[in-house]
């Protein structure tokens, strides 16, 4: 099975900061990677799919990049609504896998 | 508007059984594959099981294989997860979600809490 490893596990930042979260796959997964945002007590929300395609309605300050084994989620200017936990997710061979999550908290 | 509502959660003793339901509305349920994802308290997301649009193809995470059974009733616009031999470590919020063509989960329910405790 392909393992997804996110870093960092926690990220302390301030409003206006540029924030980057990394997700590494144990083997090449082409561009089959998605990113989700989850707030406490709520269901996750899809932000980005196929590594870099922004879901309709998601603010443009969110972007995704990467291919192969290394992927990044970038928030260009952190807003108060962005403090949350972010997960990467991959699909292959009839199995889905999530990274362990990155919590973005107030510095 | 797509709407997914889970039900059937609750407190169950170890070794017990439970059936979760997910009622779907706002889209052609029979045209979509569906999935269950769970989240233990304070932990990350874990994929549990997926089922194809017509219910023919079914997949499970290794951690639940043999104890969980997913099914889909297109006539009732409903997804189910039957759980047997419940363990304390199955305590989680269970979410149903719709699978999109890129194998991502675009719409989610609000979740159903399953607590396994004696």
């Amino acid at each position: 099975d392909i393992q997804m490893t996110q870093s960092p596990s926690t990220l302390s930042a301030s409003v206006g900061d540029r924030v980057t979260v990394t997700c590494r796959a144990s083997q090449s997964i082409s561009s089959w990677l998605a990113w989700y945002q989850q707030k406490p007590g709520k269901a996750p929300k899809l932000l980005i799919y196929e590594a870099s395609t922004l879901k309709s309605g998601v603010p443009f300050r969110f972007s995704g990049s990467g291919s192969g084994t290394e992927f990044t989620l970038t928030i260009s200017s952190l807003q108060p609504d962005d403090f949350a936990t972010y997960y990467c997710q991959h699909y292959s061979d009839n199995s889905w896998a999530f990274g362990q999550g990155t919590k973005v908290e107030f510095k | 508007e797509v709407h997914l509502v889970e039900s059937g959660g609750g407190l169950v003793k170890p070794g017990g059984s439970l059936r979760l339901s997910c009622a779907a509305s706002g889209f052609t349920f029979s045209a979509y594959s569906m999935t269950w994802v769970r989240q233990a308290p304070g932990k990350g997301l874990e994929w549990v099981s997926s089922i194809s649009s017509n219910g023919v193809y079914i997949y499970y995470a290794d951690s639940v294989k043999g104890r969980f059974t997913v099914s889909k009733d297109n006539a009732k616009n409903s997804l189910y997860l039957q759980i047997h031999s419940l363990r304390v470590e199955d305590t989680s919020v269970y979410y149903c979600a719709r699978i999109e063509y890129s194998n991502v989960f675009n719409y989610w329910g609000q979740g159903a809490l399953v607590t396994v405790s004696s």
Side-chain angles (χ1 to χ4, degrees):
Chain A
D1 290 354
I2 297 176
Q3 308 299 318
M4 310 302 294
T5 303
Q6 277 183 245
S7 61
S9 55
T10 305
L11 190 160
S12 298
S14 302
V15 173
D17 284 354
R18 181 181 179 87
V19 166
T20 299
V21 180
T22 298
C23 183
R24 290 186 175 86
S26 57
Q27 57 186 276
S28 178
I29 59 172
S30 184
S31 296
W32 296 110
L33 188 97
W35 291 97
Y36 298 82
Q37 177 195 67
Q38 186 182 33
K39 295 182 179 180
K42 300 294 186 182
K45 292 183 179 179
L46 177 66
L47 299 174
I48 289 167
Y49 59 97
E50 292 178 7
S52 60
T53 303
L54 200 66
K55 176 185 169 179
S56 176
V58 173
F60 292 118
R61 62 181 180 272
F62 290 93
S63 64
S65 64
S67 65
T69 61
E70 187 156 334
F71 301 83
T72 58
L73 169 70
T74 300
I75 308 172
S76 60
S77 178
L78 197 66
Q79 298 302 300
D81 192 49
D82 301 338
F83 290 93
T85 300
Y86 294 85
Y87 294 92
C88 62
Q89 175 245 318
H90 167 64
Y91 165 83
S92 72
D93 296 330
N94 302 317
S95 179
W96 286 258
F98 289 94
Q100 72 272 34
T102 295
K103 183 178 180 181
V104 176
E105 61 180 23
F106 287 100
K107 183 182 285 184
Chain B
E1 182 186 359
V2 174
H3 209 47
L4 298 170
V5 179
E6 300 93 339
S7 61
L11 175 63
V12 185
K13 287 183 166 50
S17 297
L18 194 70
R19 188 177 86 153
L20 299 175
S21 300
C22 171
S25 61
F27 66 101
T28 304
F29 185 70
S30 60
Y32 287 88
S33 299
M34 299 292 294
T35 194
W36 288 98
V37 173
R38 68 181 179 180
Q39 186 169 37
K43 302 297 184 183
L45 302 170
E46 180 187 15
W47 170 71
V48 171
S49 178
S50 295
I51 185 168
S52 62
S53 57
N54 58 8
V56 171
Y57 300 100
I58 289 174
Y59 311 105
Y60 298 101
D62 288 343
S63 58
V64 306
K65 211 171 287 186
R67 296 189 301 120
F68 287 29
T69 302
V70 66
S71 60
K72 191 174 187 276
D73 187 336
N74 287 336
K76 294 184 177 180
N77 288 346
S78 292
L79 175 72
Y80 304 102
L81 186 68
Q82 179 73 50
I83 310 175
H84 296 289
S85 304
L86 275 156
R87 305 168 179 169
V88 172
E89 55 266 34
D90 293 322
T91 295
S92 291
V93 173
Y94 286 76
Y95 296 100
C96 65
R98 192 179 90 174
I99 302 176
E100 306 300 327
Y101 82 97
S102 293
N103 286 299
V104 297
F105 309 148
N106 194 13
Y107 293 97
W108 298 64
Q110 84 289 350
L113 176 62
V114 174
T115 303
V116 185
S117 174
S118 54

